Amino acid sequence: MRFRAKIVDLACLNHFSRVVNTVARLAKTCTLRLTADKLYFILSDKVANGGVSVWCELCQGNFFDEFQMEGVAAEHNEIYLELVPENLSRALKTAQNAKTVKIKLTNKHCPCLTVAVELPSLSSSSRIVTHDIPVGVIPRRLWNDFREPGVPDFDVSIYLPVLKTMKSVVERMKNLSNCIVIEANLSGEMNLKIETDLVSVTTHFKDLGNPPWASDDECQSSAQGRDLESMAEARIDIKKLLQLLAGQQVNPTKALCSGCLRQMN
């Protein structure tokens, strides 16, 4: 079982760092899955009352100049590692102006991801900062616990407003209630609502747009015959929503929310 990779392009390094930072803000521990073509950051929280799941898929060719790996076996050419993403995030923060960053799976008293950062130097000698990040190797028998989650049937799917704008609105609401109601319909309208015995506050968003499959009868049966103006709603923990919004550092071009009448995802 071997893995080594190298990043030279600074833009690719910064983008990869933002992805890792986002994962680190959402999860204390996660699974890093390595294949010949892709990397995956996976969090599968099975807590019944609102556990968080993350499936982050990266094509290694978009980030790494060199990428070599050998899995646990020829027929299972993959590696699954458990790690603390914050540790990887901290290591990459030292590489903001690096000439190169090398990442390698090593064994130093325990399995580690070793991150070697080559920094610019005024002398002829190189300055290299090395970080050894402990990881746990997940055995083959447990790999099925980390399969890609399926997308549940939903009544409404809608594009979200600019996430920074949404975060600003939700932050103002957090002092009023512990829960927030999200409403959306198939006409591109979404509302964020706070309702308590003392106050009721609603922020309206219009013309957000709906993904094409939201009206595709073959894709989602629950949307068939649905009134385009009818709202689906969900009441969620406002702190968990803020955790999601605060963690976004990859500046997505689009983000969407899908849900059914009783539960939004």
Side-chain angles (χ1 to χ4, degrees), residues 36-82:
D37 301 318
K38 295 182 178 181
L39 302 85
Y40 304 81
F41 290 97
I42 305 167
L43 172 64
S44 182
D45 194 337
K46 298 180 179 179
V47 178
N49 56 345
V52 176
S53 294
V54 174
W55 181 270
C56 177
E57 181 175 325
L58 308 175
C59 292
Q60 58 91 357
N62 293 336
F63 299 91
F64 296 92
D65 296 271
E66 298 177 13
F67 191 93
Q68 302 173 7
M69 64 84 61
E70 295 179 13
V72 297
E75 66 273 20
H76 301 296
N77 192 27
E78 300 183 21
I79 301 173
Y80 284 69
L81 304 173
E82 184 179 51

Side-chain angles (χ1 to χ4, degrees), residues 86-106:
E86 177 62 25
N87 291 340
L88 181 57
S89 176
R90 289 175 180 171
L92 293 174
K93 285 178 181 177
T94 67
Q96 292 180 354
N97 298 309
K99 294 174 63 177
T100 64
V101 173
K102 297 179 181 179
I103 304 174
K104 183 179 180 181
L105 182 60
T106 59

Side-chain angles (χ1 to χ4, degrees), residues 174-211:
K174 71 178 181 180
N175 295 324
L176 302 175
S177 175
N178 294 325
C179 294
I180 188 170
V181 174
I182 300 178
E183 292 182 333
N185 63 20
L186 293 175
S187 293
E189 299 173 334
M190 188 181 80
N191 302 325
L192 300 178
K193 299 197 318 184
I194 292 291
E195 294 179 333
T196 70
D197 294 337
L198 300 176
V199 66
S200 177
V201 179
T202 304
T203 299
H204 304 273
F205 296 94
K206 296 183 178 181
D207 303 319
L208 296 177
N210 301 91

Side-chain angles (χ1 to χ4, degrees), residues 64-197:
F64 296 92
D65 296 271
E66 298 177 13
F67 191 93
Q68 302 173 7
M69 64 84 61
E70 295 179 13
V72 297
E75 66 273 20
H76 301 296
N77 192 27
E78 300 183 21
I79 301 173
Y80 284 69
L81 304 173
E82 184 179 51
L83 59 81
V84 177
E86 177 62 25
N87 291 340
L88 181 57
S89 176
R90 289 175 180 171
L92 293 174
K93 285 178 181 177
T94 67
Q96 292 180 354
N97 298 309
K99 294 174 63 177
T100 64
V101 173
K102 297 179 181 179
I103 304 174
K104 183 179 180 181
L105 182 60
T106 59
N107 193 352
K108 300 184 177 182
H109 304 294
C110 69
C112 292
L113 271 184
T114 297
V115 180
V117 180
E118 183 181 356
L119 299 171
S121 175
L122 297 177
S123 65
S124 58
S125 59
S126 298
R127 290 194 303 148
I128 298 179
V129 179
T130 301
H131 305 265
D132 291 322
I133 302 170
V135 298
V137 178
I138 298 175
R140 173 73 183 87
R141 67 179 185 275
L142 300 179
W143 287 7
N144 284 339
D145 293 341
F146 305 99
R147 292 177 294 183
E148 181 175 4
V151 177
D153 193 15
F154 50 77
D155 293 292
V156 171
S157 185
I158 190 169
Y159 291 119
L160 293 175
V162 175
L163 296 186
K164 287 185 178 179
T165 301
M166 187 173 174
K167 176 174 174 284
S168 178
V169 171
V170 177
E171 280 183 333
R172 292 187 177 97
M173 291 179 164
K174 71 178 181 180
N175 295 324
L176 302 175
S177 175
N178 294 325
C179 294
I180 188 170
V181 174
I182 300 178
E183 292 182 333
N185 63 20
L186 293 175
S187 293
E189 299 173 334
M190 188 181 80
N191 302 325
L192 300 178
K193 299 197 318 184
I194 292 291
E195 294 179 333
T196 70
D197 294 337

Side-chain angles (χ1 to χ4, degrees), residues 234-253:
R235 183 182 301 272
I236 62 176
D237 187 320
I238 199 166
K239 290 183 179 180
K240 290 184 178 179
L241 178 58
L242 270 177
Q243 181 187 15
L244 172 67
L245 297 173
Q248 297 303 315
Q249 298 186 19
V250 294
N251 300 320
T253 54

Side-chain angles (χ1 to χ4, degrees), residues 19-31:
V19 172
V20 175
N21 290 343
T22 296
V23 175
R25 292 194 177 200
L26 296 174
K28 292 183 178 179
T29 61
C30 72
T31 298

